[in-house]
Amino acid sequence: MADPNLSFAAAQIERAQADKCLRPSIAGFFDEATNTVSYVLHDPRSNEAAIIDSVLDFEAASGRTSNGSADRIIEYVTSNNLKVTWLIETHAHADHISAAPYLQERLGGKLAIGRDIIRVQEVFGKLFNAGTDFERDGSQFDKLFDDGETFRLGELEGIALHVPGHTPADMAFIVGDAAFVGDTIFMPDFGTARADFPGGDAHQLYRSIRRLLSLPDDTRLFLCHDYKAPGRDEYAWETTVRQQREENVHVKDGVSEEDFVEMRTSRDRTLAMPKLIMPSVQVNIRGGRLPDPEDNGVSYIKIPVNAV
């Protein structure tokens, strides 16, 4: 079946591969506490920048937040005289809280996510009994991207591709020749993301991954997490379409959808919930903002008992 949005993305990547002026400069910031990689990418000509998947430090035992991870990004942005125009979330993360509101207050930029965040808000709004004051229309974000929608980062071309499966709202954001794929896929020796969260679907995940792996072989893939697969001593978060197609232990060329779904479903049954899933999702469906303070001026994170 024809996929015009994928073809458009592939053509963009090929233009950037042929002309280095169309490629972004990229810096990764690894947060070992959550195994998360945040990115600052920018157009070297205009210095316009995007921040992808930022991290707010959170101490679960005390309920305290801090900004060390985000401040590293601010220091990089300011020292390189960058102008932030986008703050992008690849999805509503279940393993860390977004620092986007803190960064937006200090650096500016539009906060963006995929349009299907609305579906995630509906599911988790019910789980957390968020009430009618919690809008389930994506209005906490400045921009909701649709599949195939294009955008600019200075003089660089960008396109968003919907890649559901891990969650309904996952998006891959491609700027120049670089694809930021969120949790959809990991390093080849570690495999793929889980698909057992509410709204997740292993069949969809397989198809989303194969869609991404239909991009040009030398497309650079930047991942949101790394967990150092057994036998590897260093964290890593950049790979290519070719490497994934040849080496990914879960979904390399030749693995059928049926085999993948059987593997993914069996594996997911053995996985514990992420340690920060309750605070993370509760905050991230609000665009990284804490729930409104109660009458004592304090914000509270709810933990539903025996509900997940």
Side-chain angles (χ1 to χ4, degrees):
M1 182 181 296
D3 188 338
N5 294 335
L6 184 69
S7 296
F8 193 95
Q12 172 192 297
I13 291 166
E14 289 168 353
R15 287 191 294 273
Q17 289 173 339
D19 183 353
K20 65 180 181 180
C21 291
L22 300 179
R23 305 172 202 165
S25 294
I26 301 167
F29 297 81
F30 186 70
D31 176 59
E32 191 166 355
T34 62
N35 294 92
T36 302
V37 192
S38 305
Y39 297 97
V40 179
L41 56 149
H42 75 274
D43 170 20
R45 290 172 290 182
S46 69
N47 272 7
E48 285 196 18
I51 299 171
I52 297 181
D53 291 335
S54 61
V55 175
L56 181 73
D57 301 318
F58 179 72
E59 173 53 55
S62 66
R64 291 194 172 275
T65 64
S66 57
N67 301 308
S69 296
D71 286 340
R72 290 170 57 207
I73 289 176
I74 292 173
E75 170 60 26
Y76 177 83
V77 167
T78 56
S79 64
N80 286 280
N81 297 312
L82 304 182
K83 177 185 177 182
V84 174
T85 55
W86 290 106
L87 298 154
I88 292 173
E89 302 291 339
T90 55
H91 63 295
H93 305 275
D95 40 32
H96 72 271
I97 296 174
S98 169
Y102 175 77
L103 292 169
Q104 188 175 46
E105 180 181 339
R106 285 153 181 79
L107 300 173
K110 291 183 178 180
L111 177 57
I113 200 167
R115 182 169 299 279
D116 277 4
I117 187 62
I118 295 169
R119 292 178 57 194
V120 178
Q121 289 176 328
E122 184 64 32
V123 170
F124 283 98
K126 291 178 181 177
L127 176 64
F128 293 118
N129 197 29
T132 57
D133 289 341
F134 172 55
E135 299 291 344
R136 295 160 170 82
D137 59 2
S139 58
Q140 300 85 351
F141 300 84
D142 302 311
K143 172 65 180 176
L144 302 181
F145 275 101
D146 293 303
D147 182 63
E149 189 167 357
T150 60
F151 60 100
R152 306 287 300 187
L153 185 63
E155 298 180 44
L156 303 181
E157 299 175 297
I159 185 170
L161 295 180
H162 188 210
V163 287
H166 174 60
T167 79
D170 279 65
M171 301 290 286
F173 291 90
I174 305 173
V175 178
D177 67 328
F180 299 85
V181 299
D183 288 15
T184 303
I185 199 166
F186 299 138
M187 290 299 291
D189 57 0
F190 200 86
T192 58
R194 65 195 298 166
D196 60 332
F197 293 151
D201 185 300
H203 287 281
Q204 280 191 331
L205 181 60
Y206 178 88
R207 295 166 193 165
S208 292
I209 292 170
R210 297 312 304 181
R211 189 185 193 203
L212 289 172
L213 298 188
S214 297
L215 292 169
D217 282 349
D218 291 329
T219 303
R220 295 185 289 164
L221 303 181
F222 291 87
L223 317 179
C224 188
H225 295 286
D226 187 54
Y227 303 94
K228 283 198 300 191
R232 175 157 53 86
D233 296 328
E234 301 294 331
Y235 291 110
W237 47 81
E238 180 181 351
T239 179
T240 65
V241 165
R242 178 185 288 107
Q243 186 181 18
Q244 293 283 3
R245 292 185 65 162
E246 293 177 351
E247 302 176 17
N248 189 286
V249 295
H250 292 168
V251 72
K252 63 185 176 183
D253 287 354
V255 176
S256 70
E257 181 172 340
E258 292 73 19
D259 288 344
F260 174 81
V261 170
E262 181 179 359
M263 177 281 302
R264 189 69 267 169
T265 303
S266 298
R267 184 179 175 89
D268 288 350
R269 291 194 192 103
T270 71
L271 301 178
M273 285 289 103
K275 293 179 181 179
L276 296 183
I277 187 171
M278 294 303 173
S280 296
V281 174
Q282 203 164 156
V283 173
N284 291 337
I285 59 175
R286 294 175 164 85
R289 298 172 185 86
L290 296 173
D292 290 337
E294 298 191 6
D295 54 12
N296 62 353
V298 177
S299 294
Y300 288 87
I301 299 291
K302 293 181 179 180
I303 300 179
V305 178
N306 297 327
V308 176

